[in-house]
Amino acid sequence: MRFTRRRLATAAAVALAVTAGVLTAPAVAAGPPVAVAGAAGSTGTEQGVPVIQDGGTLYGAGPSGFLTWHSADGVSSSVWTRYADGSTTALPHGTAPYRPLRGTDVVVKVDGLVHTFRDMGADADPVVMDLGTLGPGYQAGYPTGPASLVTVWSNPSGGEELRLVTATAEGLRAEPVTGLPAGADITSFSAPSPGTVLVRYADPADTTATSRIALVDTARAERVVDVAPAHPAASVAASATHLAWVEQPSSSTATVVVMARGGTPATALRIPLTKATGVSVKLIDGWVLYGMGGHDKSYSTPNPLYGVTARSLTGATSLKVLDTYTASAPGPDGTVLVRGGTLAAGEGMYRIAPGPDGTPVARQVASTGRPTVVTLLGSNLPAVMNLDNRHPVPLTWRLSNTNVVATATLTHVASGRSRTLKLWADANGTAEDYWGGEFDTDVPGPNGAYTWRLIAKPHNGIGPALDTTGTFRMQRPVVPHDFDDNGLPDVLSLSETGGFYRNTVVFIGSSWDAASNGSSLSVLGSGWNVYDRIVPTANVGGAAHADILTRDRAGVLWLHQGNGTGLAHRVKVGGGWQVYDQITSAADLTGDGRTDLVATDRTGVLWLYKGTGNATAPFAARTRVGGGWNAYDKIAAVGNLGGAPAGDLVARDRDGVLWLYLGKGDGTFAARTRIGGGWKGFTQIIDVGDQNRDGRVDLMAVDGTGPALYRGTGDWKRPLAARNDMHDYYLGSGTYY
């Protein structure tokens, strides 16, 4: 039989390896200080400790290595790992794990009644014991020595008998174990250490106990200890001086019982435990070790039994030895090997043994490379989030633990506004959420610098919370009518007292709501009733943000440049604008990428003012577009409403018919198209940009019932969808722009 030896890859690669059957451990237990030897450096791992593959069930431990059992995707295998360098030997597959000789390097492969003993710490030839040569009635056994085992023999005439089988030069020798009652029903047996057999059985003559525990000395082939636990016993451990077991009187309470060999349960040490299910117990010189797994389950909550606690058998001293516990096995020379972890050194294999002063100390002998404390392994957040308000982006953090409660707070640096996301880590420790840039409502936050702060608290209470930060920038395409730099057009309102307000309008489902970053109305200033015309427009002055044009009662036109948070001081454009009864600007009508303005004079002539992009002189000299526009009492430049690249105009005649003038891109327009009737009742028709974030221009119209939104369709023949109403108290009273 040939065994393949394989050395694991680099520590970094193994540290991140995920294999089926891995029990992922979250953070680390609160409680008494943990006694760990060999913690050095920032990681707390001992110098020279090998990094091993995570996962597998610990079955045995010897002087040179340990045995684990792996099962994934229907394939099972046993693996021997060496302490010295982390190298492994994959043992031939079987339907059951290899059985270890506890505390030694001997492992046993069981094929029916054929038992093959192999010393993993030596090059000796395997020892083969075929119980079939002894005759019928034998069951598969458990090793008690390098060439001996314990098994159960079924008597053809009835009953069972525990037998010790030893390989000799003459063949196999079987001898019965004495001391067990006649007719004993043996339910299980194992060897906690060489030379000792642990037997659980039921005595048909004892009606007061459902199960008994016996220790057998293999040198004498006889029972030396026999007790009847008061309640069903789960884990059982034995040493040269003591026997320990865990009684489980209920599903949530347990008692660790430690009895000296030769003693009685009445004189035993009893340690009552609560919130206890599946507690494991082990013994070392003068101490009992106990702990409970489950800390890594999604439902686990704080429990003092997570990890490994050591309790003195000669006093009341108790201390925490490990912060997490997954599995354990007796090791050589009365030691115990535990798969678990500490805050200082992380997850791995630890050998627990008495220190120089007799107090138990856990020394790490192999590391999985995975920290026990909640750690950020990496994140996937773009340095610049290019959001277009329609496609949220994934925000991902990779954590070392899965059982965490995490929040990510995203804060806009300039305003201090923030959004907190609640996160759950998946089975791989990935905590992810999708964010479209919104704060506490569906209103997107502004562009600019942001910070993120991730707080991940271990749900099981083991160890401190992870608290870490990072930065990113938000950047969306510039859109018309956006005065707060959040990528969404705003609706402006002027109160009767001259207060000017900015309102973000969000289209949700089939309705639309007004909201704002900070309040329902964000004040742009007061005293705006000095103007008789207010014209929201796109980028006129050359900056990135939307601007506002105003005309005072003396006919002077003013430019108020937007800066993303408000408006800059006004700049005079020029006088004489009182000759116009309508002024509108929100679109590029000439195809040069700059926002233009159109106005109608009192004789009905439509004039085009081509945009320059210069704040001090934002418009070129006017050019005549055409006459007859006094047939319309409302005109609005609406951007690309008809689906072509150029900006368009809508105009309402005095009969309430709405007409669309498709822009040709050179400052002129195609023949008008009738797009609807019944618009006479509206006092205002406003281009409010793409409110529902579908990539099309929308219109807002106001009548006696309040504002309404008409969604753009992109079809020039029927460019507007059905009306969607909204109560005007969301926007505040007054005139809308």
Side-chain angles (χ1 to χ4, degrees):
M1 184 177 299
R2 182 179 178 183
F3 293 82
T4 302
R5 297 179 181 267
R6 175 177 62 87
R7 188 179 181 88
L8 292 180
T10 63
V14 177
L16 298 178
V18 178
T19 58
V22 174
L23 295 177
T24 307
V28 181
V34 178
V36 182
S42 60
T43 63
T45 57
E46 186 178 355
Q47 295 294 329
V49 170
V51 176
I52 60 172
Q53 182 181 3
D54 205 352
T57 301
L58 177 64
Y59 263 78
S64 69
F66 56 89
L67 179 69
T68 50
W69 166 253
H70 302 258
S71 180
D73 300 326
V75 178
S76 301
S77 63
S78 294
V79 176
W80 181 264
T81 303
R82 293 163 184 78
Y83 304 122
D85 55 9
S87 61
T88 61
T89 298
L91 301 171
H93 292 184
T95 58
Y98 272 64
R99 296 179 178 180
L101 177 58
R102 306 288 188 178
T104 75
D105 291 336
V106 174
V107 297
V108 179
K109 185 175 186 292
V110 180
D111 291 311
L113 295 180
V114 178
H115 299 66
T116 304
F117 291 66
R118 181 179 178 86
D119 189 342
M120 303 304 297
D123 292 328
D125 293 334
V127 175
V128 179
M129 297 177 61
D130 183 359
L131 300 187
T133 62
L134 295 174
Y138 283 89
Q139 301 178 15
Y142 209 96
T144 60
S148 61
L149 55 81
V150 60
T151 186
V152 170
W153 175 70
S154 298
N155 194 321
S157 60
E160 294 180 333
E161 185 176 278
L162 192 68
R163 290 191 172 186
L164 295 175
V165 181
T166 305
T168 68
E170 291 77 24
L172 300 184
R173 183 183 70 243
E175 54 184 324
V177 173
T178 62
L180 294 178
D185 181 12
I186 300 172
T187 57
S188 67
F189 56 91
S190 62
S193 61
T196 302
V197 175
L198 180 66
V199 184
R200 297 193 194 207
Y201 71 96
D203 184 354
D206 184 0
T207 59
T208 63
T210 58
S211 179
R212 300 184 68 89
I213 301 172
L215 283 183
V216 173
D217 184 339
T218 61
R220 294 183 289 174
E222 64 180 8
R223 180 189 64 174
V224 292
V225 178
D226 196 321
V227 295
H231 300 280
S235 178
V236 181
S239 71
T241 58
H242 289 81
L243 178 68
W245 64 90
V246 179
E247 295 182 357
Q248 193 85 45
S250 73
S251 61
S252 61
T253 60
T255 302
V256 174
V257 183
V258 187
M259 184 187 76
R261 290 196 184 191
T264 65
T267 61
L269 170 67
R270 305 183 71 86
I271 307 171
L273 306 174
T274 58
K275 297 176 64 176
T277 303
V279 175
S280 179
V281 65
K282 290 291 183 291
L283 289 165
I284 62 174
D285 187 20
W287 297 80
V288 60
L289 309 175
Y290 59 90
M292 186 176 76
H295 61 277
D296 50 355
K297 305 301 181 183
S298 60
Y299 52 79
S300 61
T301 56
N303 192 321
L305 294 179
Y306 292 147
V308 177
T309 298
R311 166 68 187 269
S312 173
L313 300 181
T314 58
T317 302
S318 180
L319 72 153
K320 201 67 169 287
V321 183
L322 290 177
D323 291 311
T324 64
Y325 171 86
T326 300
S328 59
D333 302 323
T335 64
V336 174
L337 191 72
V338 178
R339 182 187 165 201
T342 67
L343 285 171
E347 297 297 302
M349 296 292 182
Y350 288 81
R351 180 181 291 120
I352 301 178
D357 61 353
T359 302
V361 174
R363 181 178 296 277
Q364 191 181 56
V365 294
S367 172
T368 64
R370 180 163 50 90
T372 299
V373 65
V374 180
T375 304
L376 180 65
L377 301 179
S379 61
N380 184 22
L381 281 79
V384 178
M385 294 187 187
N386 294 305
L387 292 173
D388 61 4
N389 293 329
R390 287 176 289 167
H391 300 97
V393 298
L395 309 180
T396 304
W397 292 267
R398 290 186 298 107
L399 303 174
S400 61
N401 307 72
T402 60
N403 186 21
V404 296
V405 177
T407 59
T409 301
L410 314 171
T411 303
H412 181 236
V413 174
S415 66
R417 297 210 63 210
S418 63
R419 171 73 180 271
T420 297
L421 308 176
K422 184 171 288 187
L423 306 173
W424 288 267
D426 63 15
N428 296 320
T430 299
E432 182 178 77
D433 201 353
Y434 283 77
W435 189 51
E438 301 87 355
F439 283 144
D440 52 345
T441 65
D442 287 299
V443 179
N447 292 322
Y450 280 74
T451 62
W452 59 263
R453 181 184 183 187
L454 178 70
I455 298 178
K457 299 178 180 179
H459 194 259
N460 53 22
I462 300 176
L466 168 69
D467 190 340
T468 185
T469 61
T471 62
F472 64 94
R473 289 190 63 82
M474 180 81 72
Q475 187 61 56
R476 306 178 185 86
V478 177
V479 299
H481 233 274
D482 178 15
F483 297 95
D484 54 4
D485 197 25
N486 70 348
L488 192 66
D490 304 309
V491 174
L492 308 178
S493 61
L494 179 65
S495 70
E496 295 179 356
T497 60
F500 200 36
Y501 300 90
R502 174 186 64 216
N503 312 270
T504 296
V505 177
V506 180
F507 192 89
I508 306 174
S510 60
S511 63
W512 57 298
D513 299 305
S516 179
N517 294 331
S519 63
S520 60
L521 297 176
S522 180
V523 179
L524 289 175
S526 59
W528 287 75
N529 50 4
V530 301
Y531 305 111
D532 64 0
R533 288 288 187 275
I534 297 176
V535 184
T537 183
N539 168 19
V540 169
H545 305 100
D547 304 327
I548 293 175
L549 294 167
T550 59
R551 185 184 69 185
D552 64 24
R553 301 184 190 282
V556 177
L557 191 69
W558 301 89
L559 171 63
H560 306 255
Q561 281 193 280
N563 56 23
T565 59
L567 298 172
H569 293 294
R570 67 181 186 175
V571 175
K572 184 178 180 180
V573 177
W577 287 77
Q578 69 272 20
V579 301
Y580 300 113
D581 59 358
Q582 296 195 63
I583 303 171
T584 182
S585 171
D588 174 19
L589 302 174
T590 59
D592 61 359
R594 301 187 180 98
T595 303
D596 306 312
L597 180 148
V598 291
T600 58
D601 63 23
R602 289 180 172 82
T603 67
V605 177
L606 181 69
W607 299 91
L608 169 67
Y609 285 83
K610 187 176 180 180
T612 65
N614 184 352
T616 58
F619 301 109
R622 71 180 187 175
T623 58
R624 189 178 189 274
V625 178
W629 288 78
N630 50 358
Y632 304 112
D633 60 4
K634 292 292 181 185
I635 298 175
V638 293
N640 172 18
L641 183 64
D648 307 322
L649 294 180
V650 293
R652 182 188 68 184
D653 66 24
R654 301 186 189 280
D655 294 324
V657 176
L658 193 65
W659 301 87
L660 171 64
Y661 284 84
L662 290 172
K664 295 181 179 180
D666 59 359
T668 64
F669 302 93
R672 70 180 187 174
T673 302
R674 188 181 191 275
I675 59 174
W679 287 73
K680 192 172 183 177
F682 292 110
T683 59
Q684 292 172 272
I685 300 174
I686 308 165
D687 164 30
V688 287
D690 181 13
Q691 290 293 328
N692 62 339
R693 293 182 280 185
D694 65 353
R696 304 185 182 100
V697 174
D698 306 315
L699 290 186
M700 179 176 143
V702 183
D703 61 12
T705 64
L709 183 71
Y710 288 84
R711 300 171 59 187
T713 66
D715 180 1
W716 67 273
K717 296 179 181 179
R718 300 188 64 179
L720 298 175
R723 168 177 176 156
N724 286 275
D725 287 321
M726 178 180 162
H727 297 295
D728 57 358
Y729 60 78
Y730 285 114
L731 296 174
S733 61
T735 306
Y736 304 115
Y737 300 93

